[in-house]
């Protein structure tokens, strides 16, 4: 049997490995904190405006959860066979072996260049200023707050890693509490005479006179899939997960299943408390309308931003925690210049990996001019990851078709194995192909997006970002030391 040099070689940097001390709660929190961001507080209006039907909107939210569960299944098989930090790096290298290291360089460019926390940090700054009474937060004030919170989070993870993990666990519970509060408010709204209540559920699946085209449905589903993004987060830190077979098998499905139920229930709460016309026109403040209608003006305009602010903080903690481990793993594999430095561990934490994450995120925060240029960069955050998922899904299908997975026990690990069903793998692949192809389809009414950029610019630049891995590979391949 051919030996994979990336796996069979001695891990010379094993001295950098952190202890496996992340249990089910911490792994679940990593997933919760990345999945539950601002999406469920802002996108339901867009989904309803696109579909024109509350019932169809709800079905699409359920589909988003199903697609995420297929992703969990695919990543469980890879993760339990290769229980190492780095996530897709190891999975892609297992499948796409020739040319050697090319796929690793493509993954590296995606993780380094667009694996930033800038979007959530900026949202933190905007919501903090709004909660403090600023109706039109200054762009640079928001950025300075964003840079400060990014710095504090990275310092916390670097010098007090146990505190960072504990705070992430707490914020994961807080996020669930916020969603439960919304659900409880929705139940209360059914008994309030001045709110729509059950009236919105009449003719639930009928079109209300707008949206409903195939393109509208595709845009709605695309935004929902992005709202579920983050289900793979625990796979990036598996070297620190205690008993990966048990922990990931519980944490992954638990987090995604619970998030799906919460998302559906929260949307039902919105439907019960907000008139249809207001849902369609509310944009990103749909949650604000909900809290104002149910709990009053003060709570909706002051307390809600603070709750969403905590949600953003949880995202920043989860993304920076996982991203630093991926950066460290890339250093261990010799794929970064000065790899020993990036692979190092300080105070039980990948401080150098956190520094790299801080540098990229800070540049993205500071460099772009105000206006649509910044929004373009934020929109670019999620797209390349869908291409990586396509490669992972296609890779697992290939391994199944060639019965290669039977070799995993001997070559990779003696852990308990998990087999993802072929139908699930095909659904995962199809859903991600949908995500990468739809943005290239011209809108029926206009070819220019609201910020002034062509509709195809984000998917085009996102795809080209991955291709930057090719020239990087040409530069790096002569520097790789083969065993």
């Amino acid at each position: 049997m051919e030996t994979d040099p990336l796996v069979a070689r001695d891990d010379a940097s094993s001295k950098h490995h952190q202890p496996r001390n992340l249990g089910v709660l911490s792994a679940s929190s990593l997933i919760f904190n990345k999945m539950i961001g601002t999406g469920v507080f802002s996108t339901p209006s867009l989904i309803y405006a696109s579909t024109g039907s509350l019932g169809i909107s709800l079905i699409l939210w359920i589909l988003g959860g199903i697609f995420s569960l297929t992703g969990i299944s695919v990543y469980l098989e890879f993760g339990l066979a290769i229980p190492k930090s780095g996530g897709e790096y190891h999975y892609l290298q297992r499948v796409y072996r020739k040319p050697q290291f090319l796929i690793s360089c493509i993954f590296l460019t995606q993780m380094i260049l667009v694996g930033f926390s800038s979007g959530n940090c900026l949202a933190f700054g905007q919501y903090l200023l709004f909660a403090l009474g600023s109706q039109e937060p200054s762009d640079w004030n928001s950025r300075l707050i964003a840079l400060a919170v990014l710095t504090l989070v990275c310092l916390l993870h670097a010098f007090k890693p146990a505190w960072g993990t504990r705070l992430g666990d707490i914020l994961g519970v807080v996020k669930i509490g916020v969603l439960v509060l919304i659900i409880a408010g929705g139940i209360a709204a059914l008994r309030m005479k001045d709110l729509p209540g059950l009236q919105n559920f009449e003719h639930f699946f009928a079109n209300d006179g707008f949206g409903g085209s195939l393109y509208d449905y595709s845009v709605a589903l695309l935004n929902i899939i992005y709202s579920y993004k983050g289900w793979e987060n625990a796979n990036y830190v598996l070297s620190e997960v205690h008993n990966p077979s048990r922990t990931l098998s519980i944490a992954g499905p638990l987090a995604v299943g619970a998030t799906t139920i919460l998302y559906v229930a929260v949307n039902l709460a919105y439907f019960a408390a907000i008139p249809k016309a207001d849902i369609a026109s509310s944009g990103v403040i749909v949650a604000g309308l909900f809290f104002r209608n149910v709990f009053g003006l003060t709570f909706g305009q002051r307390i809600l931003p603070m709750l969403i602010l905590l949600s953003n903080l949880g995202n920043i903690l989860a993304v920076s925690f996982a991203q630093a481990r991926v950066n460290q793993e890339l250093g261990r594999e010799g794929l970064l210049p000065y790899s020993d430095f990036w692979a190092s561990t300080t105070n039980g934490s990948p401080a150098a990996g956190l520094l790299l994450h801080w540098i990229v995120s800070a540049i993205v925060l500071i460099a772009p001019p105000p206006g649509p240029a910044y929004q373009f960069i934020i929109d670019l955050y999620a797209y390349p990851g869908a291409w990586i998922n396509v490669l992972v899904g296609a890779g697992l299908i290939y391994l199944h078709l060639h019965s290669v997975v039977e070799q995993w026990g001997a070559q990779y690990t003696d852990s308990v194995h998990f087999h993802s069903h072929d139908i699930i793998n095909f659904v995962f692949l199809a859903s991600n192909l949908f995500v990468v192809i739809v943005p290239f389809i011209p809108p029926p009414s206009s070819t220019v997006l609201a910020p002034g950029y062509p509709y195809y610019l984000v998917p085009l630049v996102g795809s080209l970002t991955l291709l930057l891995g090719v020239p990087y590979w040409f530069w790096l391949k002569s520097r790789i030391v083969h065993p």
Side-chain angles (χ1 to χ4, degrees):
M1 179 170 55
E2 181 186 359
T3 300
D4 185 342
L6 285 178
V7 177
R9 74 185 184 187
D10 247 321
D11 188 358
S13 59
S14 60
K15 63 181 181 293
H16 300 308
H17 289 174
Q18 287 82 40
R20 293 183 178 272
N21 54 12
L22 299 179
V24 173
L25 175 60
S26 295
S28 300
S29 296
L30 282 172
I31 299 172
F32 273 126
N33 274 321
K34 191 171 181 182
M35 288 184 70
I36 304 175
T38 58
V40 73
F41 302 117
S42 58
T43 57
S45 173
L46 170 64
I47 309 307
Y48 174 53
S50 297
T51 61
S53 166
L54 295 179
I56 298 298
S57 299
L58 205 64
I59 289 176
L60 293 184
W61 280 101
I62 295 171
L63 279 177
I66 292 173
F67 291 154
S68 299
L69 286 170
T70 65
I72 283 291
S73 179
V74 170
Y75 276 57
L76 266 177
E77 174 155 358
F78 272 119
L80 298 189
I82 314 173
K84 299 172 65 178
S85 294
E88 297 98 336
Y89 166 77
H90 297 291
Y91 316 155
L92 295 173
Q93 192 61 49
R94 175 66 183 89
V95 181
Y96 305 95
R97 302 187 180 196
K98 296 180 180 179
Q100 192 178 32
F101 302 115
L102 174 59
I103 195 68
S104 301
C105 292
I106 290 174
F107 173 73
L108 179 147
T109 58
Q110 183 256 336
M111 292 302 293
I112 298 296
L113 296 181
V114 298
F116 44 75
S117 298
S118 310
N120 284 316
C121 291
L122 183 68
F124 182 96
Q126 291 172 334
Y127 274 110
L128 178 59
L129 290 173
F130 184 76
L132 295 175
S134 176
Q135 296 302 310
E136 296 183 4
S138 163
D139 180 76
W140 280 108
N141 284 346
S142 300
R143 294 196 198 200
L144 289 175
I145 294 173
L147 185 61
V149 72
L150 170 68
T151 303
L152 289 173
V153 165
C154 288
L155 289 174
L156 181 65
H157 280 320
F159 296 104
K160 294 291 183 180
W163 291 13
T165 301
R166 192 172 300 116
L167 181 58
D169 293 345
I170 293 171
L171 289 178
V173 175
V174 169
K175 286 189 178 196
I176 296 175
V178 173
L179 297 183
V180 170
L181 177 63
I182 294 176
I183 295 167
I187 295 173
L190 295 174
R191 305 174 63 89
M192 297 181 182
K193 295 182 180 180
D194 55 341
L195 297 181
L198 293 175
Q199 292 179 0
N200 274 354
F201 296 92
E202 297 175 2
H203 311 293
F204 194 51
F205 291 95
N207 186 275
D208 294 322
F210 49 87
S213 71
L214 182 60
Y215 183 84
D216 290 329
Y217 283 165
S218 65
V219 170
L221 186 55
L222 189 65
N223 279 273
I224 286 174
I225 290 175
Y226 283 155
S227 295
Y228 278 94
K229 183 68 177 170
W231 45 261
E232 75 286 4
N233 209 35
N235 286 68
Y236 294 136
V237 299
L238 281 183
S239 293
E240 297 180 48
V241 170
H242 175 69
N243 190 357
S245 297
R246 176 183 180 274
T247 300
L248 193 61
S249 297
I250 296 174
L254 173 65
V256 174
T259 300
T260 302
I261 294 171
L262 290 169
Y263 278 4
V264 170
V266 164
N267 274 272
L268 289 172
Y270 291 155
F271 300 162
I274 308 173
K276 289 183 178 181
D278 290 346
I279 296 176
S281 62
S282 60
V284 298
I285 63 168
V286 61
L289 288 180
F290 172 85
F291 276 93
R292 185 195 67 186
N293 290 356
V294 176
F295 298 104
L297 184 63
T298 299
F299 193 93
Q301 293 189 354
R302 291 290 180 267
I303 306 301
L304 173 66
M306 297 301 295
L307 295 176
I308 297 179
L309 183 147
L310 291 175
S311 179
N312 284 332
L313 181 59
N315 280 87
I316 299 165
L317 282 162
V319 172
S320 57
F321 183 93
Q323 184 68 35
R325 272 70 183 171
V326 175
N327 294 343
Q328 184 183 51
E329 195 69 18
L330 293 172
R332 287 173 180 165
E333 298 294 337
L335 296 177
L336 293 172
Y338 309 104
S339 288
D340 287 344
F341 173 72
W342 302 118
S344 64
T345 299
T346 303
N347 194 34
S349 169
L354 283 163
L355 175 62
L356 180 57
H357 177 67
W358 182 91
I359 292 171
V360 174
S361 298
I363 290 173
V364 174
L365 273 172
I366 296 172
Y374 188 88
Q375 186 59 46
F376 168 76
I377 292 176
I378 298 305
D379 291 341
L380 189 63
Y381 169 74
Y383 182 82
W387 272 119
I388 297 297
N389 287 342
V390 168
L391 294 172
V392 171
L396 186 58
I397 291 172
Y398 170 83
L399 293 179
H400 281 194
L401 290 176
H402 290 77
S403 300
V404 178
V405 293
E406 296 173 1
Q407 304 172 11
W408 283 13
Q411 187 169 334
Y412 282 82
T413 177
D414 59 356
S415 65
V416 177
H417 192 49
F418 172 83
H419 184 81
S420 181
H421 196 280
D422 290 337
I423 295 177
I424 293 175
N425 303 337
F426 276 106
V427 172
F428 175 70
L429 175 61
S431 65
N432 282 282
L433 283 171
F434 172 87
V435 169
V436 299
I437 291 172
V438 164
F440 283 107
I441 301 175
S445 57
S446 171
T447 58
V448 178
L449 297 179
Y453 289 104
Y455 67 90
Y456 55 79
L457 196 59
V458 167
L460 178 62
V461 174
S463 302
L464 292 176
T465 299
L466 294 178
L467 293 179
L468 288 175
V470 177
Y472 185 81
W473 173 70
F474 276 107
W475 175 81
L476 187 68
K477 66 176 183 177
S478 63
R479 301 165 60 90
I480 298 292
V481 178
H482 294 273

